[in-house]
Amino acid sequence: MELAQVEDCLPVGQGGRGRPLASRAAMARAFIAKAVFDQPTTRSPVERLQTDRTLRRLCGRDLAGAVPGEATFSRACAEFAAGELPGRLHEALLARTLDGRLAGHVSRDSTAIEGRERPAGKPAPERKRPRKGEQRPPAPRRLARQPDMNLEAMLHDLPQDCDTGTKRNAKGRTVSWRGYKLHIDAIDGGIPVSCLLTAASLHDSQAAIPLATRTASRVDNLYDRMDSAYDAAGIRAFSERLGHVPLIDVNPRGRTELQADLAREAKALRSAGRAEPAKLRYRERSTVERVNGRLKDDFGGRRVRVRGHGKVLCHLLFGVLALTVEQLLRLALREPGPPGQPRRAPARRAGPGELRLHGADPRRSAPQPSKPS
């Protein structure tokens, strides 16, 4: 709660006539607690706050009778979704803790989010059939248009309604789900830095350039790690345009000659007992997979009970915010001590909203004068 600093992104005063509104800061803290305790419904934090005095005080409530009802929490969730509160809190947290730091790798992947709503119908095509003998130039593809667009235009161009998605899992079986798809960029240490929520039917490659644009505005990194779903010339060119080194798994796409060449190269490397440095770096792409798994197992990503793109994204981003704070705290407590001794926590207590990561205190790296004998 101290690192999230909810009050910085909410209005100070709520004037006006009539009954005063319930404290939105206290309710935002309750939604963070909902993500930490992996509670699926809006009623769950209300019941928890009425019985847990410690949690009630952390959220800014003293009396059990002062806890708002479920309808008030639902209206507050709609307000937070419209104002993109959890996304702004997450961005502000990264700006306070990762400013001036270099992230080595950014791992990119997506995960399925099951929804509890009816899939939206497909929009009618805008272009009519050409007349007889009329020749029309083909419309440029989305990957060709995105490098020349700003972030808002790219996000507006992506489908965001609930629909049905299909993919092949790790065992080679085709699975389908109804809902959305969450695209995540995570840096070393399992810290998520950017998220996008799109329709479930959207291919992963269509969200790579918007996600890379948002990530580049938050952190500085050297390598972009992606699986074979992102193997496209436009994505590689955009990664190099940002000054990064793309590490993307090759997708043969049914080309037998390329498959045979890759198999021969892998066999030759195994026989020589050597591995390419790029492939060694690519193996660490499991960072984002662990982020996806923790978000779905521990922070409410697997049980989404709200409906609509805005509320679903708000629910997931509160979980991403809680996951980011936990990973940052783990890194802060891993400051190494002298050789041969276990790791220890920082000696100085951080101030409100301040986090000292490893190497943040220049006094520790400066040589200390030796004492006279």
Side-chain angles (χ1 to χ4, degrees), residues 241-274:
R241 174 179 166 184
L242 294 175
H244 305 160
V245 178
L247 302 178
I248 306 177
D249 192 16
V250 179
N251 188 355
R253 292 187 175 89
R255 292 175 288 180
T256 56
E257 297 181 358
L258 181 58
Q259 292 179 358
D261 292 342
L262 294 175
R264 286 194 298 268
E265 181 182 1
K267 183 178 179 180
L269 290 174
R270 287 196 302 268
S271 62
R274 303 180 62 182

Side-chain angles (χ1 to χ4, degrees), residues 202-254:
L202 185 73
H203 195 264
D204 293 355
S205 61
Q206 309 297 305
I209 294 180
L211 200 58
T213 303
R214 175 172 288 181
T215 301
S217 64
R218 298 183 177 182
V219 296
D220 297 328
N221 65 289
L222 302 177
Y223 297 89
D224 292 336
R225 294 183 296 207
M226 293 164 273
D227 58 12
S228 59
Y230 301 90
D231 185 15
I235 298 178
R236 292 180 182 271
F238 191 81
S239 177
E240 295 175 354
R241 174 179 166 184
L242 294 175
H244 305 160
V245 178
L247 302 178
I248 306 177
D249 192 16
V250 179
N251 188 355
R253 292 187 175 89

Side-chain angles (χ1 to χ4, degrees), residues 8-27:
D8 293 347
C9 296
L10 287 173
V12 178
Q14 298 176 351
R17 304 176 63 181
R19 182 178 180 179
L21 296 175
S23 175
R24 291 301 185 256
M27 303 183 78

Side-chain angles (χ1 to χ4, degrees), residues 82-317:
E84 300 178 355
L85 175 66
R88 292 187 286 117
L89 290 173
H90 184 236
E91 184 177 3
L93 174 64
L94 295 177
R96 291 194 306 268
T97 55
L98 301 181
D99 186 21
R101 298 180 180 273
L102 181 64
H105 306 81
V106 166
S107 303
R108 183 169 297 127
D109 200 4
S110 65
T111 183
I113 302 297
E114 296 185 2
R116 294 172 59 89
E117 51 187 304
R118 182 175 300 177
K122 297 294 182 180
E126 298 180 358
R127 301 181 61 183
K128 299 181 180 180
R129 294 182 57 185
R131 297 179 181 180
K132 187 176 181 180
E134 181 183 0
Q135 298 292 334
R136 292 183 180 179
R141 295 180 176 270
R142 182 176 285 128
L143 278 177
R145 300 193 312 264
Q146 285 178 344
D148 299 328
M149 302 167 62
N150 56 18
L151 181 59
E152 294 183 2
M154 285 189 287
L155 296 180
H156 182 73
D157 187 47
L158 298 178
Q160 298 179 346
D161 296 328
C162 174
D163 61 0
T164 303
T166 304
K167 69 174 182 179
R168 184 172 297 178
N169 59 13
K171 298 182 180 179
R173 299 179 180 178
T174 302
V175 295
S176 300
W177 76 97
R178 181 185 62 187
Y180 302 89
K181 183 181 288 186
L182 183 65
H183 308 264
I184 296 181
D185 272 5
I187 62 175
D188 297 332
I191 302 175
V193 294
S194 298
C195 301
L196 288 180
L197 186 67
T198 63
S201 60
L202 185 73
H203 195 264
D204 293 355
S205 61
Q206 309 297 305
I209 294 180
L211 200 58
T213 303
R214 175 172 288 181
T215 301
S217 64
R218 298 183 177 182
V219 296
D220 297 328
N221 65 289
L222 302 177
Y223 297 89
D224 292 336
R225 294 183 296 207
M226 293 164 273
D227 58 12
S228 59
Y230 301 90
D231 185 15
I235 298 178
R236 292 180 182 271
F238 191 81
S239 177
E240 295 175 354
R241 174 179 166 184
L242 294 175
H244 305 160
V245 178
L247 302 178
I248 306 177
D249 192 16
V250 179
N251 188 355
R253 292 187 175 89
R255 292 175 288 180
T256 56
E257 297 181 358
L258 181 58
Q259 292 179 358
D261 292 342
L262 294 175
R264 286 194 298 268
E265 181 182 1
K267 183 178 179 180
L269 290 174
R270 287 196 302 268
S271 62
R274 303 180 62 182
E276 297 182 6
K279 293 185 178 180
L280 293 177
R281 291 183 180 273
Y282 178 78
R283 292 176 185 175
E284 300 298 327
R285 199 190 62 86
S286 58
T287 300
V288 67
E289 296 177 353
R290 290 193 296 268
V291 170
N292 290 335
R294 291 212 60 207
L295 177 64
K296 299 180 74 171
D297 294 340
D298 301 334
F299 295 94
R302 196 176 300 277
R303 298 185 294 177
V304 179
R305 298 295 183 265
V306 293
R307 298 180 180 180
H309 177 271
K311 283 192 172 183
V312 172
L313 180 60
C314 179
H315 172 84
L316 294 174
L317 284 182

